[in-house]
């Protein structure tokens, strides 16, 4: 177990021969991410009998839901004349190409060629990918060989109100992953985070664990919190949702590359209320809570273009989740789509970032050398320290 404590100097990012930002087919980071199940679509946004195009890690795919209700992921194009399969139609659990009607089953096998007097279906196949639906998200295994078990999150499976959301950031997925805990004092100003009143900066201790990284923060007034990063690209933590009262909530977020320069966050939040309390919560919540990111893209673009001021955002009448998204989006995209990490100057506040970069460099080097990667587990509940 690697531990970095406050008394140590943080390691320099340094020049690396391992590129963690390029995620397309054949790249080291792309190969590494494809060793894990990744969410590719929000389940509620895909009706039965419909197909949609989706781009993940620099590749295009077709996701469709059969009339049975099962979700499937197959190649982007038909094997016949390379037409986009998502413009076709779904029949049972098959998908039929719109161009000449070739049909494929959920395993990618061609099962019908209407225009061929002597069909040769048995010789035609598009690639199909293992697909599972979990916590309201459609997951696919996009790598080679037998997939590992889909990672499960016990807190996410508890009874409660499940809210599934997603948003796109115009930057590398790593900008989102490296959103360290101390940024809240500056990016999300609020009365409980008065950094100008510090008598001394917070102290950090970070450690590599069996699941990823655990960060211990001791702030002003001996205020303590923990943050967890589950490898390779998951944020997993409880917190208290403030909606007139504080409600225990579990937050799970996957930071998934669309390509090298954009990423989509898939968020699952389980509000731990049941029975009448859950019904009251559903009835009383702001309708904007269901679509908190609908208008944040435009605001982020205006801020980065200098046409709006980030300090004005709390006064725009947005709900808390929308305000936070604008603040984080402006800071993360403001680093550049693919950041110039060679000119970073890391300090004590970046201990978790430095350790995360070290781990990624180590694991990608194993991929390059054909060595076994570290097998990550889930954090025990004692490591899931909610923010104060």
């Amino acid at each position: 177990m690697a531990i970095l404590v406050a008394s140590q100097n943080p390691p320099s990012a340094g020049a690396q021969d391992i590129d963690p930002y390029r995620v397309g087919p054949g790249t080291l980071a792309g190969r590494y991410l494809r060793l894990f199940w990744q969410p590719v679509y929000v389940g509620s946004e895909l009706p039965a009998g419909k197909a949609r195009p989706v781009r993940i890690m620099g590749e295009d795919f077709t996701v469709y839901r059969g009339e049975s209700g099962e979700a499937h992921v197959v190649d982007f194009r038909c094997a016949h004349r390379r037409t986009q399969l998502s413009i076709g139609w779904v029949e049972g659990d098959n998908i039929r190409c719109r161009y000449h009607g070739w049909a494929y089953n959920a395993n990618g096998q061609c099962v019908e060629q209407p225009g061929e007097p002597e069909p040769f279906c048995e010789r035609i196949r598009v690639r199909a990918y293992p697909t599972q639906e979990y916590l309201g998200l459609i997951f696919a295994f996009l790598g080679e060989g037998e997939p590992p078990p889909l990672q499960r999150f016990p807190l996410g499976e508890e009874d409660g109100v499940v809210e599934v959301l997603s948003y796109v950031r115009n930057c590398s997925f790593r900008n989102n992953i490296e959103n360290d805990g101390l940024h809240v004092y500056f990016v999300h100003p609020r009365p409980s985070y008065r950094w100008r009143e510090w008598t001394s900066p917070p102290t950090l201790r970070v450690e590599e664990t069996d699941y990823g990284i655990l960060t211990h923060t001791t702030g002003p007034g001996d205020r303590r919190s923990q943050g967890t990063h589950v490898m390779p690209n998951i944020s997993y933590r409880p917190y208290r949702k403030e909606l007139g009262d504080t409600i225990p909530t579990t937050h799970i977020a996957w930071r998934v590359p669309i390509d090298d320069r954009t990423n989509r966050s898939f968020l699952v939040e389980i509000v731990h209320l049941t029975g009448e309390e859950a019904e009251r919560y559903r009835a009383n919540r702001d309708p904007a809570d269901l679509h908190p990111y609908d208008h944040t893209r435009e605001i982020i673009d205006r801020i980065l273009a200098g046409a709006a001021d980030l300090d004005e955002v709390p006064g725009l009448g947005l709900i808390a989740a929308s305000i936070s998204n604008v603040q984080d989006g402006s800071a993360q995209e403001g680093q550049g789509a693919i950041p110039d990490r060679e000119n970073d100057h890391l300090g004590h506040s970046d201990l978790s970032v430095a350790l995360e970069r070290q781990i990624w460099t180590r694991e990608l080097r194993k991929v390059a050398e054909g060595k076994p990667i570290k097998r990550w587990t889930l954090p025990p509940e004692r490591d899931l320290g909610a923010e104060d």
Side-chain angles (χ1 to χ4, degrees):
M1 179 180 292
I3 299 179
L4 298 174
V5 297
S7 60
Q8 293 178 316
N9 293 322
S12 169
Q16 298 180 358
D17 59 344
I18 299 293
D19 185 350
Y21 298 100
R22 311 294 174 178
V23 295
T27 64
L28 283 180
R31 288 164 59 193
Y32 182 61
L33 286 168
R34 285 167 173 80
L35 296 174
F36 304 85
W37 289 83
Q38 299 291 345
V40 298
Y41 218 78
V42 175
S44 63
E45 296 178 359
L46 185 65
K50 297 297 182 181
R52 298 286 185 265
V54 64
R55 186 167 178 81
I56 295 289
M57 295 185 288
E59 281 191 281
D60 295 310
F61 304 93
T62 304
V63 57
Y64 72 96
R65 190 182 296 284
E67 293 176 346
S68 69
E70 290 243 1
H72 308 286
V73 177
V74 297
D75 275 344
F76 185 62
R77 299 188 185 280
C78 175
H80 179 210
R81 297 275 297 279
R82 311 303 295 163
T83 292
Q84 185 172 322
L85 277 174
S86 63
I87 70 170
W89 61 90
V90 176
E91 298 174 343
D93 275 275
N94 298 340
I95 185 166
R96 187 179 294 277
C97 179
R98 179 72 63 170
Y99 201 16
H100 294 92
W102 287 21
Y104 303 88
N105 66 20
N107 295 320
Q109 178 63 53
C110 184
V111 294
E112 192 174 0
Q113 297 167 314
E116 295 299 320
E118 298 182 10
F120 48 98
C121 298
E122 71 282 356
R123 303 205 306 269
I124 303 299
R125 178 185 289 271
V126 296
R127 186 168 178 185
Y129 299 86
T131 308
Q132 294 190 47
E133 204 153 355
Y134 178 60
L135 297 181
L137 295 172
I138 298 171
F139 286 80
F141 180 74
L142 305 176
E144 303 293 333
E146 191 69 21
L150 177 66
Q151 201 168 32
R152 301 272 170 176
F153 297 85
L155 284 177
E157 296 175 5
E158 292 183 0
D159 290 339
V161 181
V162 179
E163 300 177 332
V164 183
L165 303 166
S166 75
Y167 62 82
V168 172
R169 289 264 158 85
N170 292 334
C171 58
S172 167
F173 77 110
R174 295 192 54 79
N175 294 33
N176 214 333
I177 286 176
E178 294 183 358
N179 204 31
D180 64 276
L182 256 62
H183 83 282
V184 297
Y185 291 96
F186 307 94
V187 179
H188 309 295
R190 55 187 181 182
S192 57
Y193 292 146
R194 298 185 184 279
W195 66 271
R196 292 187 183 278
E197 298 176 7
W198 289 352
T199 56
S200 61
T203 58
L204 301 177
R205 181 169 59 86
V206 304
E207 58 184 284
E208 181 178 346
T209 66
D210 290 336
Y211 56 81
I213 296 174
L214 176 63
T215 303
H216 309 264
T217 304
T218 303
D222 201 35
R223 178 179 180 176
R224 299 174 187 272
S225 64
Q226 292 184 167
T228 55
H229 168 62
V230 179
M231 284 290 290
N233 57 332
I234 304 169
S235 171
Y236 182 35
R237 62 181 175 86
Y239 75 105
R240 302 194 72 83
K241 184 185 284 284
E242 296 182 10
L243 292 171
D245 196 0
T246 58
I247 303 171
T249 304
T250 296
H251 167 99
I252 312 170
W254 290 258
R255 318 302 190 186
V256 183
I258 297 172
D259 52 34
D260 296 345
R261 305 176 68 86
T262 55
N263 75 90
R264 179 177 291 277
S265 277
F266 291 94
L267 291 83
V268 177
E269 292 197 340
I270 300 89
V271 183
H272 296 287
L273 296 174
T274 58
E276 292 183 1
E277 287 186 323
E279 291 307 314
R280 280 196 298 272
Y281 167 78
R282 291 188 180 97
N284 294 331
R285 63 183 167 178
D286 190 323
D289 271 325
L290 301 175
H291 305 282
Y293 310 129
D294 278 1
H295 306 294
T296 57
R297 173 75 267 154
E298 177 186 352
I299 299 172
I300 293 169
D301 289 342
R302 286 178 54 78
I303 289 168
L304 292 176
D309 192 326
L310 192 54
D311 290 333
E312 298 170 357
V313 173
L316 295 180
L318 301 172
I319 63 170
S322 301
I323 294 172
S324 180
N325 188 268
V326 170
Q327 293 166 334
D328 276 329
S330 301
Q332 291 173 19
E333 294 183 18
Q335 299 172 58
I338 299 179
D340 176 17
R341 298 305 190 207
E342 291 298 314
N343 289 311
D344 273 0
H345 296 82
L346 300 187
H348 170 81
S349 63
D350 307 300
L351 284 172
S352 62
V353 173
L355 178 56
E356 192 270 343
R357 292 181 186 179
Q358 287 180 354
I359 292 171
W360 266 76
T361 298
R362 181 193 73 206
E363 296 302 305
L364 294 190
R365 185 163 284 119
K366 290 178 183 177
V367 172
E369 296 172 354
K371 296 179 179 179
I373 62 170
K374 181 172 178 176
R375 293 299 175 185
W376 305 99
T377 63
L378 277 184
E381 289 191 21
R382 61 178 169 74
D383 282 4
L384 294 173
E387 290 184 0
D388 294 338

